[in-house]
Amino acid sequence: MSQEENTSGWDAIDAAVDALYGNQQPKHYGTAIPYMLGGPDPLNGISAYRVEQPTPHWHFITYGFSELYDKETDDPEHSGYGFELTFRLLRNVEEEEPPAWALNLLQNIGRYVFNSGNIFHAGDYMDANGPICLGSDTLLTALAFIEDPDLEEITTPNGTVKFIQMVGVTCRELETIQTWNTRGFLAACASFMPKYVTDLMRNSYVDIPIIEEAVARGIEQEGSSTAFLFIQQLEWTSVHQETLQNAEPAVLQVGAKQARLIGRILRSRTAKGDSLSLIGPNVNITFKAGDEPSFQENENNVTLIVNDAAVIELMEKLKPKAQTFELNTLPGITFRIVRTEITDPDGNIIDTIG
């Protein structure tokens, strides 16, 4: 950086972290070639601090989702995307350097945000479709996002910046989060995961009785916060009506990976009178609670009205296996579940569901 360069955004992050860690010099990993000039890494830098309490861990903090230098966006309220990511990872006492995979994970999240424009908020979640540490035996295959417990929102000359912490979660924990909500589930796990430190080698928490009870109570009282599910294998084939007496039913297709989850979330949503929308590449399908089951088609938008009986029957039949079935409670639709192929970043099939 030249002496004349405006670093006020970067300095504001430094000030917030210095208030937490004092004179500790972090392990800092910068980017040699800026992303805008063709460099491979979108984040300008990542700092890693050694923390001893409540358990030894690395505390990673990103620089680059917000505007570190001059103001460039037209949004006066938020700096850049309005957040920086943090990540707490369990550390061996003798460990002197943070693991490279964690730095790569943060940069990969950066690529996702910069390429898609989708930003993260506390309460969000993301399916990694595989171990968050590639090549490891970890059960953690997804990420949840929550406010960093030690870093509050700051105001910089370029706008506000929130510190959003990533937390590694298992596949079953992700399903629980989707069926309930991120904040509730992480709060229920707080005594087992203080400060939400990610431990690659931990088991899933969903079978711990106190957490099971909290989840069941939360779902009953609050329902599910998941109003939208993005389903890559979602398809809808319209009713093909030859005559009034001979009509072929419409076909709703989903992938085996999401089948069971759709049923669980649907029951949680409709029990509170809320809708659930499935978003696919070419069609959006919205389930709404009602007294008389029916469906309506409007170009690429389909609305299904379901009552309690239809939801229960659908939940019982939505299994993670390839099959075709119809519902007694919702005539006129054939439900088709197809196999889901899980691929690695290079497109190689690493698992098949259904």
Side-chain angles (χ1 to χ4, degrees):
M1 301 178 192
S2 65
Q3 291 184 347
E4 295 79 13
E5 189 169 18
N6 174 18
T7 61
S8 58
W10 190 299
D11 295 340
I13 297 173
D14 279 347
V17 181
D18 288 347
L20 180 61
Y21 292 123
N23 296 324
Q24 181 183 159
Q25 291 298 312
K27 301 285 186 178
H28 185 79
Y29 302 85
T31 300
I33 303 175
Y35 197 58
M36 66 182 65
L37 298 180
D41 297 326
L43 300 177
N44 297 62
I46 302 172
S47 286
Y49 290 82
R50 292 170 61 97
V51 187
E52 302 303 328
Q53 299 296 331
T55 185
H57 65 275
W58 294 107
H59 189 191
F60 298 87
I61 299 161
T62 67
Y63 290 75
F65 290 105
S66 63
E67 292 165 300
L68 304 174
Y69 310 111
D70 295 322
K71 183 68 178 175
E72 297 179 357
T73 68
D74 296 328
D75 182 355
E77 183 178 353
H78 304 102
S79 175
Y81 290 110
F83 71 94
E84 292 291 349
L85 285 179
T86 72
F87 183 50
R88 296 174 188 264
L89 180 65
L90 193 69
R91 171 176 57 84
N92 294 329
V93 177
E94 67 277 8
E95 200 170 51
E96 295 295 330
E97 297 289 336
W101 72 262
L103 302 171
N104 292 333
L105 174 63
L106 287 163
Q107 290 287 5
N108 284 336
I109 297 297
R111 293 183 189 95
Y112 167 78
V113 172
F114 278 64
N115 292 334
S116 70
N118 298 328
I119 64 176
F120 290 104
H121 303 276
D124 288 345
Y125 52 79
M126 181 181 191
D127 190 347
N129 287 320
I132 62 171
C133 174
L134 294 178
S136 74
D137 293 330
T138 182
L139 296 177
L140 307 184
T141 58
L143 296 166
F145 297 83
I146 196 71
E147 295 93 344
D148 187 288
D150 290 332
L151 292 171
E152 297 182 351
E153 180 180 309
I154 62 174
T155 300
T156 79
N158 295 327
T160 60
V161 178
K162 294 181 179 179
F163 293 95
I164 307 298
Q165 182 172 322
M166 300 192 317
V167 185
V169 295
T170 70
C171 177
R172 293 182 62 202
E173 289 168 348
L174 175 62
E175 288 189 2
T176 300
I177 286 170
Q178 292 170 312
T179 310
W180 183 19
N181 63 69
T182 301
R183 294 181 186 278
F185 178 75
L186 290 182
C189 297
S191 60
F192 301 93
M193 190 168 41
K195 290 193 184 294
Y196 307 125
V197 174
T198 292
D199 176 5
L200 285 181
M201 294 298 102
R202 73 172 177 85
N203 291 319
S204 179
Y205 292 144
V206 293
D207 295 323
I208 298 175
I210 191 173
I211 293 179
E212 279 187 308
E213 294 170 6
V215 169
R217 184 168 58 251
I219 292 175
E220 180 180 358
Q221 295 175 351
E222 304 168 15
S224 171
S225 65
T226 301
F228 303 91
L229 274 179
F230 296 91
I231 309 292
Q232 185 64 35
Q233 294 174 282
L234 184 69
E235 293 185 10
W236 174 268
T237 303
S238 299
V239 174
H240 180 66
Q241 191 156 341
E242 299 286 351
T243 67
L244 292 177
Q245 291 77 29
N246 182 22
E248 295 183 8
V251 179
L252 194 165
Q253 174 186 295
V254 298
K257 185 177 189 294
Q258 298 88 11
R260 181 175 59 188
L261 177 63
I262 292 170
R264 292 180 61 187
I265 297 178
L266 182 60
R267 187 171 188 180
S268 182
R269 295 283 297 177
T270 56
K272 298 297 179 182
D274 298 322
S275 63
L276 172 65
S277 293
L278 309 182
I279 312 299
N282 301 305
V283 65
N284 297 341
I285 298 177
T286 300
F287 291 86
K288 292 185 177 181
D291 295 328
E292 294 296 330
S294 63
F295 66 93
Q296 297 177 341
E297 300 173 280
N298 182 12
E299 295 183 352
N300 294 330
N301 295 286
V302 180
T303 301
L304 277 69
I305 306 300
V306 291
N307 58 15
D308 289 344
V311 171
I312 291 173
E313 186 182 8
L314 184 57
M315 184 178 178
E316 290 174 348
K317 292 189 175 183
L318 282 172
K319 306 294 183 183
K321 64 178 182 179
Q323 59 173 318
T324 300
F325 61 86
E326 296 181 357
L327 300 181
N328 295 324
T329 52
L330 185 56
I333 301 177
T334 294
F335 291 83
R336 178 185 299 145
I337 301 175
V338 296
R339 290 194 312 169
T340 299
E341 294 179 341
I342 307 299
T343 59
D344 62 18
D346 297 324
N348 301 310
I349 299 174
I350 58 176
D351 193 12
T352 300
I353 302 174

